[in-house]
Amino acid sequence: GSEMCIRDSLVMLHSFARQYLKLTPTGTADLSIYGDGGQVAGWARDAVSWAVSAGLIVPSGEGTLRPADPASRAEVAAILMKFSSLYL
């Protein structure tokens, strides 16, 4: 489908921060502590790790990140609001 997943939205924001805001997103999280942390694609690992450490996403109640799940409008809005409060 053409749905954006959570991982894709985080990679996009990570890239936006670096390329357009000229920021160096810092902070990493140990993704292995999450039940599905190993499912984060290699190309998205830095962005997802940064997003978790920055609090842009919060693990689910089951202790998972759901990186490949479709991102709802509410989830994207929450991610953008947190990003905006931290970096803009």
Side-chain angles (χ1 to χ4, degrees):
S2 62
E3 294 177 328
M4 177 180 276
C5 68
I6 295 170
R7 170 197 63 217
D8 296 341
S9 63
L10 299 175
V11 169
M12 180 185 67
L13 274 180
H14 189 257
S15 178
F16 175 78
R18 286 184 296 114
Q19 292 180 348
Y20 295 100
L21 299 180
K22 304 298 184 203
L23 298 174
T24 304
T26 59
T28 58
D30 180 5
L31 300 182
S32 69
I33 66 171
Y34 302 103
D36 57 355
Q39 296 174 16
V40 177
W43 56 267
R45 195 165 274 293
D46 286 347
V48 174
S49 178
W50 160 74
V52 171
S53 72
L56 297 180
I57 60 170
V58 178
S60 71
E62 296 85 36
T64 59
L65 298 171
R66 306 178 308 109
D69 284 6
S72 70
R73 283 188 218 149
E75 288 171 319
V76 173
I79 291 168
L80 290 174
M81 289 297 294
K82 290 176 188 175
F83 180 86
S84 176
S85 71
L86 290 171
Y87 300 104
L88 301 178

